């Protein structure tokens, strides 16, 4: 392994020029190793580990700048520190990028002269730590800790000697791997947010920051300002019910989509919702299909490669709502169905009321208890769309008993109207229309930047294939409506 004072990097620069590996008059040194604009794994690193953290208000620091292969993506930062051990490489960078918002820092191998304590929002290094021995990396980490702001992120590429290509480069690549690196990062007092050992051929990427008791990430960044969230569940509501219902309030914001519920009855579906597993659409679009991009979730549990790209995620050892509460969110909930008498569904709420089926009382409770000085997670489980489809002002009763207990086993569809032709379908449609008439007051009374998730926990069978009600895996039970939108109409 080369020592810190090796001429390896300078020799690579000089040899690249001599061998015309890049046009010294027009190209950036280092692109011959792979251009993040065109090489898919490098493009992924750029889009996932670099660009999301560069803003016009951030202070950014790059370690090991080379000719600016990665630096060019950081130029819009409020201030950019370009750090290198070799003055020749800093001079090479200046040939391409030398702007007023940049400081060029010549270090002693693992320090940051001239960089103030607690001043840096984001640190990035690619192509440097793969060559550094673990003892030097540790010295870097110790010095990194002092210059970071509380809400910072650090992204480092490092050698992964488990991979054949890294072993083939032994002598220039250091003896390192994810187990060693993660243990080192934690021992230096950092919290690991993300570790990717799959994307690159010979190395891995780690993202970490200062340890905090409660960390909320929006677009993979730790922000002090967080979005409000309003989760509304229409209990037992079929997708086709809400699709045909006259819902002018909801329609003014978004079109609903068909999605698959995570479970077939109230309790497990809401347990899943409170962990970020919402109904999932087959459309390949963010948030409505969590495999494209999940809306919110818990860091480091479940399908971690899905959760890590979530719009909003939090550290929690229980569920997402409790994690928000621990991070200072006001959590307010109302439940209509009797499952919401269970503390396992309600312990996460700072303010909670079991109401039975009464949408007006639920909305009253939520609005009366909102603290305008705090961010909130609001939840209402509406019962009007659950049999017997009762709502305030209803003039008739549903003559059909749709409860699963009436199923005759084995199920066999009997003569008579089923599905949308069954009278129960009309009653559920009317209940959905009633709920829509209540949304305007709710939506107009919460902040306009609130993210709304409106869905059902499961659907309902109205005699299809001999099935009634829910609690079993029938397509009409698992198909539910889903809508995700911001009240101000902006994209999430």
């Amino acid at each position: 392994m080369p020592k810190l004072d090796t001429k390896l990097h300078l020799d690579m620069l000089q040899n690249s020029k001599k061998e015309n590996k890049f046009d010294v008059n027009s190209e950036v040194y280092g692109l011959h190793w792979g251009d993040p604009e065109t090489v898919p794994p490098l493009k992924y690193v750029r889009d996932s580990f670099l660009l999301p953290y560069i803003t016009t208000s951030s202070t950014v620091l790059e370690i090991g700048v080379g000719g600016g292969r990665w630096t060019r993506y950081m130029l819009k930062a409020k201030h950019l520190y370009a750090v290198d051990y070799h003055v020749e490489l800093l001079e090479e960078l200046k040939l391409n990028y030398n702007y007023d918002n940049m400081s060029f820092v010549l270090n002693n191998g693992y320090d940051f002269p001239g960089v103030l304590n607690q001043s840096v929002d984001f640190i990035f290094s690619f192509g440097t730590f793969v060559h550094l021995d673990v003892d030097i990396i540790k010295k870097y980490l110790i010095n990194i800790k002092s210059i970071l702001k509380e809400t910072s992120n650090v992204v480092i590429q490092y050698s992964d000697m488990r991979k054949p290509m890294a072993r083939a480069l032994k002598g220039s690549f250091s003896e390192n791997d994810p187990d060693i690196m993660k243990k080192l990062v934690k021992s230096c007092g950092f919290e690991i947010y993300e570790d990717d050992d799959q994307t690159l051929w010979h190395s891995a990427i780690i993202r970490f920051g200062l340890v905090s008791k409660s960390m909320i990430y929006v677009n993979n960044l730790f922000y002090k300002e967080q979005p409000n969230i309003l989760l509304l569940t229409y209990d037992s509501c079929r997708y086709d019910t809400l699709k045909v219902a006259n819902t002018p309030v909801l329609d003014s914001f978004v079109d609903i989509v068909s999605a698959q519920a995570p479970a077939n009855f109230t309790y497990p579906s809401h347990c899943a919702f409170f962990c970020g597993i919402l109904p999932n659409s087959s459309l390949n679009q963010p948030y409505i299909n969590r495999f494209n991009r999940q809306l919110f979730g818990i860091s480091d549990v479940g399908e971690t490669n899905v959760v890590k790209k979530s719009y909003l995620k939090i550290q929690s050892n229980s569920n997402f709502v409790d994690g928000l509460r621990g991070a200072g969110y006001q959590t307010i909930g109302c439940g209509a169905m009797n499952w919401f008498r269970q503390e396992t569904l309600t312990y996460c709420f700072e303010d909670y009321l079991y109401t039975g089926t009464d949408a007006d009382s639920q909305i009253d409770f939520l609005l009366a208890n909102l603290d305008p000085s705090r961010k909130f997670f609001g939840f209402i489980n509406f019962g009007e769309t659950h049999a017997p489809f009762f709502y305030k002002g209803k003039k008739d009763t549903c003559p059909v008993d749709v409860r699963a207990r009436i199923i005759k086993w084995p199920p066999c569809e009997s003569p008579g109207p089923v599905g949308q032709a069954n009278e129960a379908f009309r009653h559920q449609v009317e209940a959905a229309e009633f709920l829509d008439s209540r949304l305007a007051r709710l939506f107009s009374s919460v902040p306009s930047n609130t993210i709304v998730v409106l869905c059902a926990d499961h659907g309902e069978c109205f005699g299809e294939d001999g099935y009634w009600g829910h609690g079993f895996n029938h397509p009409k039970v698992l198909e539910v409506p889903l809508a995700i939108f911001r009240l101000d109409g902006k994209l999430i």
Side-chain angles (χ1 to χ4, degrees):
M1 180 65 223
K3 299 298 183 182
L4 187 61
D5 58 355
T6 179
K7 293 184 178 181
L8 171 68
H9 303 284
L10 299 182
D11 289 342
M12 286 192 293
L13 174 62
Q14 295 304 322
N15 291 336
S16 295
K17 290 182 176 181
K18 288 178 181 179
E19 297 171 11
N20 296 316
K21 290 185 176 178
F22 71 102
D23 186 339
V24 296
N25 296 314
S26 62
E27 293 183 356
V28 171
Y29 166 64
L31 289 181
H32 55 291
W33 289 313
D35 188 347
E37 291 291 320
T38 58
V39 179
L42 300 183
K43 186 177 180 181
Y44 176 80
V45 171
R46 180 198 66 182
D47 294 345
S48 300
F49 289 98
L50 178 55
L51 292 182
Y53 307 99
I54 309 300
T55 71
T56 56
S57 61
S58 59
T59 297
V60 176
L61 185 147
E62 183 184 10
I63 302 171
V65 295
R69 177 168 59 146
W70 299 94
T71 315
R72 55 188 169 151
Y73 301 115
M74 310 179 209
L75 299 176
K76 75 173 184 178
K78 181 179 180 180
H79 196 82
L80 171 58
Y81 289 102
V83 179
D84 209 287
Y85 181 69
H86 300 285
V87 66
E88 293 87 348
L89 289 170
L90 292 176
E91 292 301 321
E92 180 67 27
L93 178 65
K94 288 180 182 179
L95 294 176
N96 299 306
Y97 308 109
N98 190 356
Y99 299 103
D100 291 341
N101 68 328
M102 296 178 68
S103 295
F104 298 86
V105 179
L106 181 66
N107 76 350
N108 294 314
Y110 40 77
D111 60 347
F112 304 101
V115 181
L116 297 177
N117 286 345
Q118 300 178 6
S119 66
V120 177
D121 297 289
F122 179 59
I123 293 177
F124 182 84
S125 183
F126 194 100
T128 296
F129 282 72
V130 290
H131 303 300
L132 299 181
D133 284 327
V134 170
D135 62 332
I136 298 175
I137 294 176
K138 183 174 183 179
K139 292 177 181 178
Y140 253 124
L141 294 177
I142 292 170
N143 288 325
I144 282 173
K145 193 171 184 181
S146 64
I147 64 173
L148 291 179
K149 292 182 181 178
E150 179 185 359
T151 58
S152 57
N153 282 268
V154 181
V155 171
I156 291 175
Q157 178 216 19
Y158 61 95
S159 170
D160 185 355
M161 278 294 166
R162 302 174 309 171
K163 299 178 179 179
M165 186 175 287
R167 294 195 295 272
L169 294 168
K170 194 171 183 178
S172 65
F173 267 40
S174 63
E175 290 288 341
N176 204 351
D177 62 42
D179 291 336
I180 294 171
M181 189 66 177
K182 286 188 281 189
K183 183 177 180 180
L184 180 62
V185 168
K186 289 181 179 179
S187 72
C188 290
F190 293 101
E191 184 88 21
I192 297 173
Y193 305 152
E194 196 171 353
D195 187 60
D196 181 351
D197 61 359
Q198 300 297 313
T199 299
L200 298 172
W201 315 273
H202 46 40
S203 54
I205 297 276
I206 191 167
R207 182 171 67 87
F208 58 92
L210 298 175
V211 174
S212 178
K213 290 182 179 179
S214 297
M215 293 175 286
I216 306 174
Y217 303 92
V218 181
N219 276 333
N220 281 330
L221 297 175
F222 178 20
Y223 285 125
K224 291 182 179 179
E225 292 300 321
Q226 314 292 349
N228 298 305
I229 302 171
L230 185 60
L231 172 59
L232 307 175
T233 60
Y234 284 18
D235 207 285
S236 307
C237 188
R238 292 164 54 124
Y239 165 72
D240 54 357
T241 291
L242 199 55
K243 186 66 176 177
V244 305
N246 181 25
T247 54
V249 177
L250 180 59
D251 294 346
S252 69
F253 291 97
V254 71
D255 293 326
I256 64 168
V257 298
S258 170
Q260 186 177 65
N264 59 36
F265 70 103
T266 298
Y267 184 87
S269 276
H270 282 88
C271 286
F273 295 167
F274 292 166
C275 289
I277 309 298
L278 299 172
N280 200 68
S281 170
S282 61
L283 298 174
N284 190 24
Q285 298 175 14
Y287 312 130
I288 61 172
N289 183 330
R290 66 187 181 90
F291 297 101
N292 179 296
R293 191 178 187 192
Q294 191 163 317
L295 180 64
F296 56 76
I298 306 170
S299 298
D300 303 323
V301 296
E303 297 169 278
T304 55
N305 285 330
V306 175
V307 175
K308 73 180 182 181
K309 298 177 185 177
S310 299
Y311 173 77
L312 177 67
K313 62 179 180 286
I314 190 167
Q315 302 280 349
S316 175
N317 60 8
S318 53
N319 67 23
F320 177 78
V321 184
D322 193 56
L324 289 179
R325 182 178 180 180
Y329 264 64
Q330 183 182 18
T331 54
I332 310 173
C334 296
M337 309 318 298
N338 59 19
W339 282 112
F340 285 95
R341 292 173 175 160
Q342 299 297 111
E343 288 187 4
T344 47
L345 282 180
T346 64
Y347 74 93
C348 51
F349 293 102
E350 179 180 336
D351 300 290
Y352 176 76
L353 181 66
Y354 172 74
T355 60
T357 298
D358 190 343
D360 289 337
S361 293
Q362 292 176 314
I363 294 171
D364 288 343
F365 177 80
L366 188 144
L367 297 180
N369 284 277
L370 275 183
D371 181 349
S373 68
R374 299 171 64 189
K375 294 295 182 182
F376 74 88
F377 178 94
F379 166 73
I380 299 178
N381 163 248
F382 290 117
E384 281 77 0
T385 46
H386 188 287
F389 316 115
F390 177 81
Y391 56 87
K392 187 176 293 185
K394 186 176 175 69
K395 296 179 180 179
D396 58 350
T397 58
C398 180
V400 183
D401 185 354
V402 301
R403 292 174 294 181
R405 69 187 69 172
I406 71 170
I407 297 174
K408 295 181 180 180
W409 300 92
C412 181
E413 190 169 307
S414 59
V418 299
Q420 293 188 17
N422 190 276
E423 184 69 6
F425 182 79
R426 176 180 70 83
H427 282 267
Q428 192 178 63
V429 168
E430 291 176 353
E433 292 175 345
F434 169 82
L435 289 178
D436 191 76
S437 73
R438 269 44 189 175
L439 293 182
R441 178 168 73 96
L442 174 60
F443 290 167
S444 65
S445 301
V446 297
S448 62
N449 63 354
T450 298
I451 295 173
V452 177
V453 177
L454 189 151
C455 63
D457 52 348
H458 55 79
E460 198 89 316
C461 273
F462 294 147
E464 291 97 337
D465 305 309
Y467 287 90
W468 296 88
H470 55 271
F472 42 82
N473 289 340
H474 187 278
K476 286 301 178 183
V477 172
L478 295 179
E479 185 186 35
V480 296
L482 173 66
I484 300 174
F485 58 96
R486 278 176 55 127
L487 291 177
D488 58 12
K490 294 182 180 179
L491 293 176
I492 299 173

